[in-house]
Amino acid sequence: MKQGLSLRVSQHLALTPQLQQSIRLLQLSTLELSQEVEQMLDDNPFLERTAEEAQREEFGLDAADAPVRDDDRLAEGDGELPSGPSAPLADAGVGSTSTAAEADAPATADSTDGEPGWEGDGTVDVAPDDSEWGGDAPARANNLGNDERADATELARSQESLQSFLHRQALGLRLDDNDRAALRFLIESLNDDGYLEDSLPALASGLAGEDNDQFDELVHHFQVALGLLQSLEPVGVGARSLGECLTIQLRALAHANEGDQEAQIRKIAIAVCKQPMELLARRDFKRLATLTRSSEDTVRAALQVIARLEPKPGRRFVDVERNVVVPDVIVTRIGQGTNVKFRVMLNPEVMPRLRVHDIYAGALKQHKGEGSQALSQRLQEARWFIKNIQQRFDTILRVSNAIVERQKSFFVHGELAMRPLVLREIADELGLHESTISRVTTAKYMATPFGTVELKYFFGSALGTETGGNASSTAVRALIKQFVSAEDTRKPLSDSQVSEMLKEQGIECARRTVAKYREALRIAPANLRKAL
């Protein structure tokens, strides 16, 4: 074999560190982006918040967003009151309506003397196309523009926890120190649903170790404390299983004027709760009647009583703040009738306001010495980070505009008017890759006149119709939900019947497809939806 030397020219794509950071920031959710910004602020000394953002962090959103009062202006020495409305202290919003080429241009590693800035207000007006649905159809009231609406995050923060509620009740009990400590320990051991997951011996062994005498004493105190805990509100708290929780609530239903028939039904209901929960979930009346030695009619009446109970006593005390979804994009309706339009804007509350530290950057520029190369690299990283965040929100805004443009009917008529849409259509329109659209629409949310939904919600496959057109799978799911909500609960619709009803609407949808959509909507089968 003869050896030789040859030259070959080829092209390949290299992912620079800046491009890798841009891709990673694009796929982060709002919460993850906030954590990334905090981490970068701690690591990079050249990066800082703007003055407005720092003020918001120090005084809270409400204080930062509140308009300056007239008496505050007079106290500061202003000679005259403003004639117009007061301007808010924080920025109203930052965004960009740049062209497609500018917004999608890859970030470069070239150093710039100026700091990247935000331009525009991040809003785009889109007029709906009512060619198929008519322009006079009224839409639901928009719940985004109400000044009187309460902030969901503030409501979540002000909610009392289950443990705090129980501790307040325990203050009114006359207990010795040991029983009070045992009750407090059990309260702190409850899960979010109000259940005591660990057994009393397991809790005692974790505290006593191998000391048998202390173990027996702890079990005794825990048994006393458990009885006290299960007597507190909400009824059913402190139960160790679903059956015990329902039993506690059934016993609490007893009253002085209770009739013999009511007492008998409640007794059977308690007996039913002691049976395997699978029989109760399947509504196996015959098996339950045999196990409880009663008639099927009595078991049906008992199940009606059980259905009114609360299986999760701690549900209303759950910290709902972690479930609050903050939208990245807000779509508001402007105009009426045929002149209705929709304004697409970025949510200013989720956009970090960052800048390069002027003093540090100026000092580095004037003094070039030992270690300046490493510091210059950190300065460049800060500029990259700011520019990549700007590009992230620019891309989100462009994709949101394209979605609103293609799904105009949804914003007027709701999910029944949703049209088929795939990621490839948006990617071809914006000149982006399909994977980029997937990253943008994952864990990003849009506030619409019909609620806050994920951007992926607007994408759905197409189902054939009798007229040769296509219907969106999202619209079909909404139609199935509408059929089920309007059904007779004594004779619920089966999947085959729903499939036939869709065919009457001109939509070809097989029974197995209906079952798949029904399960995705978390709708129970027909036999479990049947009223008792």
Side-chain angles (χ1 to χ4, degrees):
M1 182 176 180
K2 185 178 179 180
Q3 296 182 348
L5 183 64
S6 62
L7 296 177
R8 184 174 58 183
V9 179
S10 62
Q11 293 181 344
H12 66 279
L13 178 64
L15 290 178
T16 63
Q18 184 182 4
L19 185 57
Q20 294 177 10
Q21 184 187 65
S22 177
I23 295 175
R24 187 168 57 85
L25 291 178
L26 188 61
Q27 65 186 7
L28 294 181
S29 64
T30 301
L31 179 60
E32 293 170 340
L33 177 64
S34 177
Q35 295 173 349
E36 184 76 14
V37 170
E38 294 296 335
Q39 182 67 30
M40 184 60 71
L41 287 171
D42 292 339
D43 296 342
N44 198 318
F46 291 97
L47 197 65
E48 67 171 355
R49 300 184 186 274
T50 61
E52 295 82 357
E53 184 74 3
Q55 188 179 34
R56 292 161 63 88
E57 290 291 327
E58 181 179 357
F59 297 102
L61 295 180
D62 294 338
D65 288 342
V68 180
R69 296 184 304 177
D70 294 340
D71 51 355
D72 293 337
R73 293 181 180 273
L74 291 176
E76 294 173 1
D78 291 342
E80 56 184 28
L81 296 176
S83 58
S86 301
L89 296 180
D91 291 342
V94 289
S96 175
T97 56
S98 56
T99 62
E102 293 172 346
D104 192 43
T108 60
D110 297 337
S111 174
T112 56
D113 294 334
E115 170 192 347
W118 298 90
E119 298 178 358
D121 61 352
T123 63
V124 175
D125 295 342
V126 178
D129 181 11
D130 288 339
S131 57
E132 297 182 9
W133 297 88
D136 296 331
R140 295 182 187 175
N142 185 355
N143 59 355
L144 297 175
N146 276 333
D147 295 335
E148 301 176 357
R149 67 182 178 89
D151 184 77
T153 306
E154 294 301 324
L155 291 177
R157 290 173 179 169
S158 63
Q159 187 171 4
E160 186 179 25
S161 66
L162 174 63
Q163 281 72 17
S164 300
F165 183 70
L166 293 173
H167 285 317
R168 282 200 298 107
Q169 298 180 67
L171 294 176
L173 301 177
R174 295 184 178 180
L175 304 174
D176 58 25
D177 294 339
N178 293 330
D179 290 337
R180 186 178 300 279
L183 178 58
R184 184 176 185 84
F185 186 82
L186 292 185
I187 290 176
E188 294 298 330
S189 301
L190 297 175
N191 61 12
D192 290 341
D193 296 330
Y195 284 87
L196 190 64
E197 296 178 335
D198 299 325
S199 63
L200 299 183
L203 295 174
S205 62
L207 296 176
E210 298 181 357
D211 190 342
N212 294 330
D213 295 337
Q214 187 180 7
F215 173 80
D216 295 336
E217 183 179 359
L218 285 174
V219 171
H220 171 71
H221 287 299
F222 282 154
Q223 288 175 347
V224 175
L226 181 62
L228 295 172
L229 175 60
Q230 294 180 351
S231 66
L232 301 178
E233 294 287 341
V235 181
V237 70
R240 290 157 289 183
S241 64
L242 177 59
E244 184 180 10
C245 177
L246 299 177
T247 301
I248 294 173
Q249 297 181 54
L250 288 169
R251 288 173 178 167
L253 293 177
H255 52 87
N257 299 328
E258 185 179 28
D260 295 339
Q261 185 178 3
E262 294 180 0
Q264 180 64 21
I265 292 176
R266 189 170 56 82
K267 181 180 178 181
I268 297 300
I270 294 176
V272 168
C273 293
K274 295 180 180 180
Q275 306 304 321
M277 289 292 104
E278 292 78 7
L279 300 177
L280 183 62
R282 295 199 306 264
R283 298 183 181 181
D284 193 344
F285 301 115
K286 293 183 179 180
R287 181 65 175 164
L288 290 174
T290 302
L291 293 175
T292 57
R293 298 180 181 180
S294 59
S295 63
E296 290 189 24
D297 293 338
T298 307
V299 171
R300 291 176 185 272
L303 260 65
Q304 290 182 357
V305 177
I306 295 175
R308 295 195 294 267
L309 303 178
E310 174 56 72
K312 298 180 180 181
R315 188 201 307 266
R316 64 188 177 94
F317 295 94
V318 174
D319 183 11
V320 296
E321 182 177 0
R322 60 189 173 191
N323 298 325
V324 173
V325 175
V326 180
D328 299 85
V329 182
I330 299 176
V331 179
T332 55
R333 175 173 176 153
I334 55 177
Q336 295 293 334
T338 57
N339 296 325
V340 64
K341 295 182 179 180
F342 294 95
R343 172 170 295 175
V344 185
M345 62 177 296
L346 296 170
N347 185 2
E349 301 299 336
V350 302
M351 291 183 291
R353 298 171 176 84
L354 305 174
R355 68 180 181 184
V356 174
H357 202 295
D358 297 335
I359 299 178
Y360 292 167
L364 178 63
K365 190 174 181 180
Q366 295 176 4
H367 300 84
K368 298 290 185 179
E370 184 179 356
S372 61
Q373 184 177 0
L375 293 176
S376 299
Q377 180 65 25
R378 301 294 287 176
L379 176 60
Q380 187 62 52
E381 290 177 1
R383 288 171 174 161
W384 282 355
F385 188 73
I386 294 175
K387 191 169 185 178
N388 287 335
I389 287 182
Q390 179 182 2
Q391 184 177 355
R392 174 187 187 271
F393 284 104
D394 288 343
T395 307
I396 292 175
L397 182 61
R398 291 180 59 209
V399 173
S400 301
N401 289 330
I403 290 175
V404 174
E405 181 69 28
R406 287 180 173 266
Q407 299 289 5
K408 297 171 187 175
S409 299
F410 163 80
F411 293 93
V412 178
H413 307 282
E415 56 186 354
L416 287 175
M418 191 79 75
R419 296 180 178 178
L421 183 63
V422 294
L423 298 176
R424 171 59 61 185
E425 298 180 38
I426 301 296
D428 294 341
E429 179 181 345
L430 300 181
L432 302 174
H433 194 273
E434 192 172 348
S435 62
T436 302
I437 305 300
S438 178
R439 293 187 182 97
V440 171
T441 55
T442 301
K444 314 296 189 303
Y445 295 87
M446 176 185 292
T448 72
F450 297 93
T452 301
V453 295
E454 190 178 10
L455 292 182
K456 276 195 179 300
Y457 172 77
F458 296 97
F459 296 88
S461 57
L463 296 177
T465 62
E466 292 181 353
T467 59
N470 293 324
S472 171
S473 59
T474 305
V476 174
R477 284 195 292 267
L479 202 55
I480 292 174
K481 184 166 58 176
Q482 189 179 78
F483 289 158
V484 172
S485 62
E487 70 182 359
D488 185 359
T489 55
R490 293 172 297 181
K491 295 181 180 180
L493 299 172
S494 64
D495 294 338
S496 300
Q497 291 174 319
V498 173
S499 178
E500 293 297 328
M501 296 175 67
L502 289 174
K503 288 182 180 179
E504 294 176 1
Q505 299 287 334
I507 301 174
E508 298 291 337
C509 189
R511 182 194 61 80
R512 284 186 291 183
T513 306
V514 172
K516 182 180 69 173
Y517 288 167
R518 176 181 53 76
E519 293 174 358
L521 293 170
R522 297 184 179 181
I523 298 176
N527 62 322
L528 297 181
R529 298 200 309 271
K530 187 175 182 180
L532 299 175

